[in-house]
Amino acid sequence: MDDDAEPTLELQSAADALGVHYQTAYRWVRNGQLPAQLTAGKYRISARDVAEMRASRQRPQAPKAPSPARLHRQSTHMHEVLLAGDEYAVRKIARSLVDEGTTILELVESVIAPPLRAIGEAWADGSVTISVEHRASAIVERVLGDLLPNPRGRRKGTVVVAAITGDLHSLPTTMAAVALREANWRVHHLGAHTPGEELLAFCASREEVDVAVISLTSPEVRTRAERAAVRIRKSGTPTLVGGAGRTLSDLLEEVQGAVDGRVGRREPQK
C-alpha cells in the first residue's frame, strides 16, 4: 500500500465515526451524500470526507421557517384564542413559531395583526364588546414584550417611538418598537399618550436620536401629531407619522430611508 495514500474507512467504521446506523451510512453512500469507492466488494470512505460530514452534522442548523400556509392556519387559531382570552394559548403559538424560525416581523404581520383587525372590526359593528377587544390587545402587548429581541452586532441607529397625547393605544407603539429592535435599532419606547412637548424635549436632549416615530391610530389627533412632527423635524430630528394601512415593513423601510437621507444632508468633513 502506498504510504502517501489517503486513509480510508470501511462503511461500518465510517458509520460509527458519524454516530449513525450502518444502514443510514449505506443510504448516504447510495444517494451520493457520502462519497465512497467500492473495492473488493466493500465500500471504503475517505477519512477526510467522514471528518467533514461529521463536522457539518455537528454545526447548529438554522430552523426552517414555517410556510405561509402554516402561518395562515396559526393566524386563524390565534383569532380563536384571542377572542377566548386564552393567553397561555397565544403565548404557545407565538413561541412555537419563533422557535421554528419565524421573525417577530412575520409573526406580527402574518399571524397577530389579521385577527386583531378582525376583532377591532367586530367591536365596531357590535359583534364583540369593547372588553374583549381590549383584552386581546393587552394579551398581545404582554406576549410581544416577553418576545422582545436583543440582536447581536452594532446597532443601525437610535429611534424614539411614541403616540401623541390623545392617542391612548399603546399596542401599535409596542409592535413598532419590537420590529425595530429585531432589525437591530436601539429603541426608546415612550408608549401612548405622550405630550408633544415631552417628545420634542426628549429628542432634543439626546444627540444620538436618529429618527422619531409617532404612531397614529386616532384620526382625531392627526393634526396634533403632525404639528409635533413639524416641531421635532425643525429641531433636527427626522420624524415619521404613522397611519392606517401602514405596515411594520413600511416602517422599517421609512426609518432606514430617513436615516440615509439625514446622512446624505450632512456637511462633508473638511
Side-chain angles (χ1 to χ4, degrees), residues 66-138:
S67 66
R70 172 160 166 70
L71 294 180
H72 178 72
R73 290 195 299 272
Q74 291 303 301
S75 184
T76 300
H77 188 199
M78 180 69 78
H79 186 197
E80 296 169 355
V81 295
L82 281 174
L83 278 176
D86 189 344
E87 186 163 341
Y88 174 79
V90 173
R91 291 179 180 276
K92 185 176 180 180
I93 293 170
R95 173 51 63 188
S96 295
L97 289 173
V98 169
D99 289 345
E100 291 172 20
T102 305
T103 65
I104 302 296
L105 181 64
E106 290 173 323
L107 176 69
V108 171
E109 291 193 336
S110 299
V111 180
I112 293 176
L116 284 179
R117 281 195 297 270
I119 292 171
E121 291 166 1
W123 165 72
D125 67 21
S127 302
V128 301
T129 63
I130 187 65
S131 59
V132 170
E133 192 269 343
H134 281 187
R135 181 178 64 186
S137 296

Side-chain angles (χ1 to χ4, degrees), residues 14-241:
D16 292 342
L18 291 167
V20 299
H21 192 274
Y22 175 90
Q23 290 296 332
T24 300
Y26 177 72
R27 185 174 70 252
W28 289 344
V29 167
R30 296 288 292 175
N31 65 22
Q33 283 182 264
L34 186 59
Q37 296 290 330
L38 188 60
T39 305
K42 292 184 177 181
Y43 284 110
R44 299 198 68 86
I45 299 99
S46 161
R48 182 176 59 184
D49 287 338
V50 171
E52 288 178 357
M53 188 171 198
R54 181 179 178 182
S56 176
R57 283 171 50 77
Q58 290 176 340
R59 280 189 213 107
Q61 299 294 314
K64 185 178 180 181
S67 66
R70 172 160 166 70
L71 294 180
H72 178 72
R73 290 195 299 272
Q74 291 303 301
S75 184
T76 300
H77 188 199
M78 180 69 78
H79 186 197
E80 296 169 355
V81 295
L82 281 174
L83 278 176
D86 189 344
E87 186 163 341
Y88 174 79
V90 173
R91 291 179 180 276
K92 185 176 180 180
I93 293 170
R95 173 51 63 188
S96 295
L97 289 173
V98 169
D99 289 345
E100 291 172 20
T102 305
T103 65
I104 302 296
L105 181 64
E106 290 173 323
L107 176 69
V108 171
E109 291 193 336
S110 299
V111 180
I112 293 176
L116 284 179
R117 281 195 297 270
I119 292 171
E121 291 166 1
W123 165 72
D125 67 21
S127 302
V128 301
T129 63
I130 187 65
S131 59
V132 170
E133 192 269 343
H134 281 187
R135 181 178 64 186
S137 296
I139 289 173
V140 168
E141 191 159 7
R142 287 192 294 270
V143 170
L144 289 179
D146 289 345
L147 292 173
L148 191 66
N150 184 28
R152 297 178 180 178
R154 185 176 180 180
R155 297 294 184 262
K156 295 177 179 178
T158 301
V159 184
V160 175
V161 179
I164 212 73
T165 298
D167 197 330
L168 306 179
H169 296 278
S170 60
L171 179 57
T173 67
T174 299
M175 289 181 170
V178 171
L180 285 161
R181 281 176 177 156
E182 183 180 52
N184 226 1
W185 294 90
R186 182 181 296 106
V187 181
H188 296 294
H189 181 202
L190 307 188
H193 202 52
T194 303
E197 291 289 340
E198 291 295 326
L199 183 54
L200 173 63
F202 187 92
C203 293
S205 68
R206 297 170 185 269
E207 293 182 1
E208 77 275 13
V209 173
D210 295 294
V211 184
V213 173
I214 300 177
S215 170
L216 183 64
T217 61
S218 175
E220 289 77 12
V221 300
R222 173 169 287 281
T223 299
R224 190 178 301 150
E226 293 289 0
R227 286 175 179 168
V230 168
R231 295 188 65 192
I232 298 169
R233 290 177 192 129
K234 286 182 178 178
S235 74
T237 301
T239 305
L240 306 174
V241 178

